[in-house]
C-alpha cells in the first residue's frame, strides 16, 4: 500500500457521460465492481484479466443506461453489493429512491420511495440476524428499510439536519453510525427503543461543567463522511471544517489523532476508504484531483496519488490485491496498484554484496591442497 501507483496497463471501460460518484467491489469474490454516476447510470465491471495480456481493459459486463426502463432519473449517490451474494446489489439516488437489483436480470426486485433526496445508504457487512438498509436523506431522520418485509417504517430520530452519511459497524450488526449536516456523529443501537447510544464530542465533554448533549459536536461543520476501521474498534469521520477525527467506537472518545488540515470542499457525501489486511491501516481521502493517503493511528500524511484531471468523488479499497480504485468528475475510473519490487539479478556475485554483516562463524575457511602448496 505504501508504494501504490497508477496502473498504466489496466483501463476500466468508460461508460459514464457524467462524473462517477460511487464505487463498490464485491466482498465475495473480489472480481466484480459497481459504479454509479451523476448521469443516473450504473455500471458493472469484471476486474479479472481474462485476456492474460499485460495490457488490458476491465470490461463493463452490463449497465443500467439511460434507455433502461428502471434507470435512476437523477444522480446515483451510492451503490453497494449485497454482502453475502453477488446475485443482488443496491443503489440510491437523488431521485428519492432506493432500488434493490437482481444482478442476473438487471431488474429491480424491490424499490423504496422517500420524501427527501437520498444522500447515502448502507447494508451491514456482518449482519446475520437482520436485513436492514440504513438510509440517510435530507430529512434529519434515518430510515431503516427491511429487505425481508419490504417496509421502511423504522425511523431513528435525533439529528437536526439532513443525514449525509451512514455506516454499520464492521464488528456489531446492530450498531449504526451516522453523520449529519448538523455537525454531529451519532451511534445507534437499532434494538433500543430510544435508538441513540451516544453523540460524539470532539472535546470529550471537557469544555464546561454544565455540558449538555445539545452542545456536543463532532465537527464545526457538516459531517459528510464516516467509515469504520476493518476491526470495528474505531470510526473515522470527515467534516467540512477540514478536519478528520478518529473515534474509539466503544467509548465514543475522540482519540485526538492530528491529521492536519483535510481539504474537504464536497457539499455531499465524501466516499473515502480505509485499507484492509495491512499491519498498519491507511485512509484514502479524495481531495480535488488527488487522493491523500494517511496513516490512521498516527495522522501522518504518507503520500498523494495523482492521475485524475478533475475532482475525485469516491475511492474503494480492494483487499484481495491491496489495490485502490477511484472515480472522478472526469468520467474515469483509475486503478492504483502496489509498485512491483525489483528482483535481485542472478548474475550478481556474492563477493559484490556487502560482507560487513557476515558472522565470522559462517565465513568460508575451506582451502584446497593447491593453495597450501
Amino acid at each position: 500500500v505504501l508504494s501504490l501507483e497508477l496502473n498504466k496497463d489496466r483501463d476500466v471501460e468508460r461508460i459514464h457521460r457524467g462524473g462517477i460518484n460511487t464505487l463498490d467491489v464485491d466482498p465475495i469474490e473480489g472480481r466484480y465492481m459497481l459504479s454509479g454516476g451523476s448521469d443516473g447510470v450504473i455500471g458493472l465491471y469484471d476486474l479479472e484479466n481474462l485476456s492474460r495480456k499485460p495490457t488490458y481493459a476491465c470490461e463493463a459486463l452490463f449497465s443500467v443506461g439511460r434507455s433502461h426502463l428502471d434507470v435512476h432519473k437523477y444522480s446515483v449517490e451510492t451503490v453497494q453489493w449485497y454482502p453475502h451474494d453477488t446475485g443482488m446489489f443496491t443503489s440510491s439516488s437523488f431521485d428519492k429512491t432506493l432500488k434493490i437489483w437482481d444482478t442476473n436480470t438487471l431488474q429491480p426486485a424491490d424499490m423504496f420511495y422517500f420524501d427527501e433526496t437520498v444522500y447515502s445508504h448502507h447494508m451491514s457487512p456482518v449482519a446475520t440476524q437482520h436485513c436492514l438498509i440504513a438510509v440517510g436523506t435530507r430529512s434529519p431522520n434515518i430510515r431503516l428499510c427491511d429487505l425481508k418485509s419490504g417496509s421502511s417504517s423504522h425511523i431513528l430520530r435525533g439529528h437536526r439536519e439532513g443525514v449525509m452519511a451512514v455506516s454499520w459497524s464492521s464488528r456489531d450488526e446492530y450498531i449504526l453510525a451516522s453523520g449529519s449536516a448538523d455537525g454531529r456523529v451519532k451511534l445507534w443501537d437499532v434494538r433500543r427503543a430510544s435508538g441513540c447510544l451516544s453523540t460524539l464530542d470532539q472535546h470529550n465533554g471537557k469544555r464546561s461543567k454544565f455540558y449538555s448533549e445539545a452542545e456536543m459536536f463532532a465537527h464545526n461543520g457538516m459531517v459528510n463522511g464516516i467509515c469504520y476501521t476493518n476491526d470495528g474498534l474505531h470510526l473515522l469521520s470527515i467534516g467540512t471544517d477540514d478536519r478528520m477525527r478518529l473515534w474509539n467506537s466503544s467509548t465514543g472518545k475522540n482519540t485526538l489523532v492530528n491529521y492536519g488540515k483535510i481539504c474537504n470542499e464536497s457539499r455531499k457525501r465524501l466516499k473515502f476508504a480505509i485499507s484492509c489486511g495491512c499491519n498498519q491501516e491507511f485512509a484514502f481521502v479524495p481531495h480535488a484531483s488527488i487522493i491523500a493517503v494517511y496513516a490512521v493511528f498516527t495522522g501522518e500524511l504518507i503520500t498523494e496519488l495523482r492521475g485524475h484531471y478533475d475532482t475525485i468523488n469516491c475511492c474503494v479499497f480492494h483487499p484481495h490485491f491491496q489495490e485502490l480504485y477511484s472515480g472522478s468528475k472526469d468520467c474515469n475510473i483509475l486503478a492504483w496498484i502496489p509498485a512491483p519490487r525489483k528482483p535481485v539479478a542472478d548474475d550478481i556475485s556474492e563477493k559484490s554484496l556487502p560482507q560487513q554483516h557476515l558472522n565470522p562463524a559462517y565465513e568460508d575457511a575451506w582451502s584446497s591442497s593447491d593453495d597450501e602448496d
Side-chain angles (χ1 to χ4, degrees), residues 298-309:
T298 66
E300 181 187 358
L301 175 61
I302 303 297
T303 187
E304 293 178 336
L305 306 179
R306 301 173 186 270
H308 282 288
Y309 302 114

Side-chain angles (χ1 to χ4, degrees), residues 37-203:
S38 57
D39 53 1
V41 172
I42 299 171
L44 195 163
Y45 309 85
D46 188 342
L47 300 179
E48 192 166 310
N49 182 8
L50 298 174
S51 71
R52 301 286 181 250
K53 295 178 181 178
T55 302
Y56 66 101
C58 299
E59 295 184 0
L61 299 178
F62 308 105
S63 68
V64 182
R66 299 309 306 168
S67 60
H68 195 288
L69 190 63
D70 297 294
V71 68
H72 282 290
K73 292 182 176 62
Y74 304 123
S75 175
V76 176
E77 292 300 301
T78 309
V79 289
Q80 186 187 3
W81 286 103
Y82 182 59
H84 310 295
D85 186 1
T86 55
M88 188 166 71
F89 66 90
T90 56
S91 65
S92 60
S93 164
F94 277 173
D95 65 9
K96 305 180 183 179
T97 65
L98 165 69
K99 297 184 180 184
I100 319 300
W101 299 86
D102 182 322
T103 310
N104 298 309
T105 64
L106 229 59
Q107 299 295 326
D110 205 349
M111 203 178 303
F112 296 89
Y113 298 91
F114 305 94
D115 296 328
E116 299 285 352
T117 298
V118 179
Y119 289 129
S120 71
H121 77 268
H122 193 231
M123 281 181 287
S124 170
V126 296
T128 57
Q129 302 301 312
H130 70 75
C131 287
L132 296 174
I133 305 177
V135 182
T137 70
R138 190 172 285 171
S139 160
N141 300 328
I142 301 167
R143 301 293 291 268
L144 298 180
C145 301
D146 193 337
L147 283 181
K148 288 182 179 177
S149 67
S151 69
S152 60
S153 56
H154 200 149
I155 296 174
L156 302 176
R157 294 182 172 88
H159 283 296
R160 298 183 179 183
E161 294 183 46
V163 179
M164 308 294 294
V166 288
S167 179
W168 290 97
S169 166
S170 48
R171 191 177 189 85
D172 187 324
E173 65 178 288
Y174 294 106
I175 303 300
L176 175 72
S178 61
S180 168
D182 63 10
R184 294 180 174 86
V185 173
K186 289 180 178 285
L187 301 181
W188 313 79
D189 185 335
V190 297
R191 296 167 296 184
R192 290 171 45 141
S194 61
C196 189
L197 283 174
S198 59
T199 301
L200 304 187
D201 176 40
Q202 59 182 297
H203 303 290

